[in-house]
Amino acid sequence: MHQLMKEHFTVENFGVQVSKNLKLCSKEDERALHLLEKHTRRIGNQYETALLWKYDDVKLPESYSMALKRLQCLEKHKPQVIEVIDRTIKEYLQKGYAIKLTDEDLRASQNARIWYLPIFTVTYPKKPDKVRVVFDGAAKVNGVSLNSLLLKGPDQMASLIDILRRFREKCVAGAGDTTEMFPQIKIRGEDVHCQRFLWRNGDINKKPDQYILQVMTFGANCSPTSAQFVKNHNASGFKDKMPRAVESIIHNHYVDDMLDCQHSDTEMIQLIRDVKKIHSHGGFEIRKFLSNSAAVKAEFNDKVKDSDSNKSMDMSFGTERVLGMWWNTENDSFTYSLKFTKIDSAIVSGQRVPTKREMLRILMTIFDPLGLLSHYLIHLKIVIQDIWRSKLGWDDEIKSEEIKFAWNQWFEHLPNVEKIKIPRLYSTNLSPTKPKSIELHTFVDAASEKAFSAVSYLRIENDKGDIDCVLIGAKARVSPQNICRLQGWSYKLDSWERDCFQVSKML
């Protein structure tokens, strides 16, 4: 972790990458795509696909003993956790996601490729009451895990940042969530025995029953790529009939979340209807719709139960969480919520200065994909880089008065972050009316030994001559530590400016 963070603050990644349009694939990615194209097929109202094996003749070691030991450890948890797992497994059985193997099934599958997936649970700090059951594809036997023999496959997800930027272009916005996307995709019969698991309802005195997952699981590292492939493959069949909806599914869905916008209520309602129709053709259901439009909400939200309301909603502020951003649908703006659930209360109250580990945790807790807080967060990055130079350990007490002063200055303004409101819509000059002109203006600055930055704005003019200048996004980086000061200011300025222009290209 130390080396990773050192590299992060030495020369931070600008996000420059090879264009996906070039379609450059490694041999492994080519094989993954070949397997997906070969084995993905529609059966009834759902799709079936295969696990993406690295080799055709993969041999798996015996994994029953490992899974049994993991089950025994799991059973030492609190009874509430066992109840949650038991309830989840019963739901899987009821929905057909999993089946219990009979003695006859076990005998018939003796020559099959077999792997047992241990179970564990995870919780999300922002939803401590929600426990998710996960099947561990990374569990190892003699250095071999299921995931070590599966291809990850090419990244087929649309860029989160690009989706958020497009989400700001038109005045009527909508968001939806695809319910249980992974379990709607079946795994072919040849591979399901590599998704076995053990369970005995918490009764440690009985021999565990054996089950198989018949559907895609979160535990397999090929699942994200396979799910995106199936989603896009299903949508592609409608590109002639519903091109706008297909565009939304392929380019404006992030995993199972839809974020899109249109110029009018009518267009947004029709788009959602078409998206729902295409998804239903593949066995997917999209619901839990959010919108800044009363007409859109009235059209769709009265068709779901109150208990199905968005699980990330903060009802007191009318604010919903979309792709990590807080969106207030009432005033159609992005806001920030600072809830440091894992931060010592003494730090939050200002009684003590955090350690390097705690300071880094606070920085990483503030999610800002568009860089709208870059001007503020860069100061904490500089503080952390200063701590790095001092070679303090992760949990050592910070004694430097200069660092303490810089931290206190930064932390004093932290509560003001929750007061920030960024309009979701770039400008009314852009939607619903057509603008007269749009210009992109990017500014870069490297006139500092501590940091450099780039920021981009849209200048939008309408037919009446009204002009809006709106923030698109920004990037701010600490200066590389390894630049030799003996080279002089002009050398450093030139190299930093080149880096800034790379940032501006990315923006």
Side-chain angles (χ1 to χ4, degrees), residues 388-430:
W388 221 269
R389 288 196 185 100
S390 67
K391 298 182 179 180
L392 279 174
W394 283 103
D395 300 303
D396 292 344
E397 179 185 353
I398 296 175
K399 297 181 179 180
S400 167
E401 293 300 324
E402 184 178 352
I403 291 177
K404 287 182 180 179
F405 178 76
W407 159 260
N408 288 328
Q409 270 199 322
W410 183 87
F411 192 73
E412 181 182 349
H413 294 283
L414 184 59
N416 294 326
V417 169
E418 291 192 322
K419 301 177 183 178
I420 294 175
K421 292 182 176 61
I422 305 291
R424 195 259 332 152
L425 176 64
Y426 282 131
S427 169
T428 53
N429 289 344
L430 188 63

Side-chain angles (χ1 to χ4, degrees), residues 8-127:
H8 178 76
F9 284 104
T10 298
V11 181
E12 293 187 58
N13 176 26
F14 294 116
V16 179
Q17 59 184 2
V18 176
S19 172
K20 292 184 179 180
N21 294 329
L22 297 179
K23 296 183 180 179
L24 300 177
C25 281
S26 65
K27 293 293 184 181
E28 287 192 341
D29 286 349
E30 286 180 359
R31 173 176 170 81
L33 288 173
H34 170 72
L35 292 174
L36 286 169
E37 291 168 356
K38 179 180 179 180
H39 297 297
T40 300
R41 56 178 182 158
R42 191 166 181 262
I43 300 178
N45 195 37
Q46 289 181 292
Y47 278 87
E48 177 189 87
T49 191
L51 295 180
L52 306 183
W53 298 104
K54 288 184 177 180
Y55 320 103
D56 290 333
D57 57 345
V58 166
K59 304 296 183 184
L60 293 167
E62 184 275 323
S63 57
Y64 181 93
S65 302
M66 173 273 295
L68 180 59
K69 290 180 181 177
R70 287 282 298 269
L71 176 63
Q72 292 167 345
C73 292
L74 182 67
E75 289 169 336
K76 296 177 182 179
H77 279 66
K78 296 178 181 179
Q80 299 92 318
V81 175
I82 302 300
E83 289 176 9
V84 169
I85 299 174
D86 191 52
R87 185 167 60 248
T88 300
I89 291 174
K90 287 178 180 176
E91 290 177 0
Y92 273 35
L93 293 171
Q94 182 182 3
K95 295 177 179 179
Y97 298 166
I99 60 171
K100 182 179 177 180
L101 295 176
T102 64
D103 292 339
E104 184 180 347
D105 293 331
L106 293 173
R107 287 192 296 269
S109 61
Q110 285 180 348
N111 297 324
R113 189 183 285 166
I114 297 173
W115 185 266
Y116 290 88
L117 294 168
I119 298 172
F120 69 97
T121 59
V122 295
T123 57
Y124 183 44
K126 296 183 183 297
K127 307 168 211 168

Side-chain angles (χ1 to χ4, degrees), residues 163-325:
I163 292 174
L164 287 172
R165 286 175 180 156
R166 287 192 290 269
F167 189 55
R168 303 182 63 192
E169 292 177 358
K170 299 173 184 177
C171 59
V172 181
D177 174 67
T178 307
T179 304
E180 297 183 340
M181 180 180 181
F182 281 21
Q184 304 311 316
I185 303 171
K186 293 183 177 294
I187 297 298
R188 66 172 182 163
E190 295 92 320
D191 293 334
V192 292
H193 287 283
C194 292
Q195 297 190 156
R196 286 190 185 183
F197 65 95
L198 305 176
W199 189 244
R200 53 187 174 190
N201 307 328
D203 184 356
I204 61 175
N205 296 316
K206 63 174 287 190
K207 183 180 179 181
D209 295 315
Q210 297 191 35
Y211 300 81
I212 57 171
L213 288 165
Q214 300 189 103
V215 297
M216 186 177 292
T217 171
F218 288 96
N221 63 0
C222 61
S223 293
T225 292
S226 297
Q228 294 304 308
F229 179 88
V230 171
K231 172 182 70 72
N232 294 345
H233 176 77
N234 177 64
S236 297
F238 294 83
K239 60 183 178 182
D240 294 329
K241 295 180 180 179
M242 305 175 190
R244 180 63 180 87
V246 171
E247 176 190 346
S248 178
I249 292 172
I250 295 177
H251 299 294
N252 289 331
H253 277 49
Y254 189 78
V255 189
D256 54 359
D257 290 322
M258 168 189 173
L259 258 72
D260 214 324
C261 54
Q262 292 282 58
H263 290 301
S264 68
D265 294 341
T266 303
E267 290 175 313
M268 193 72 229
I269 290 171
Q270 186 60 51
L271 175 62
I272 294 176
R273 285 175 178 167
D274 291 345
V275 168
K276 284 170 64 70
K277 182 176 181 180
I278 293 174
H279 277 315
S280 66
H281 182 265
F284 305 117
E285 180 187 6
I286 186 167
R287 55 179 186 170
K288 300 178 183 177
F289 289 101
L290 310 170
S291 180
N292 62 326
S293 162
V296 174
K297 287 189 284 189
E299 175 67 22
F300 297 103
N301 281 354
D302 60 346
K303 299 177 183 178
V304 299
K305 299 178 182 178
D306 292 340
S307 60
D308 289 333
S309 60
N310 187 278
K311 52 183 175 289
S312 298
M313 184 180 296
D314 184 345
M315 293 300 294
S316 60
F317 297 97
T319 303
E320 350 286 342
R321 193 172 178 85
V322 291
L323 298 191
M325 296 288 289

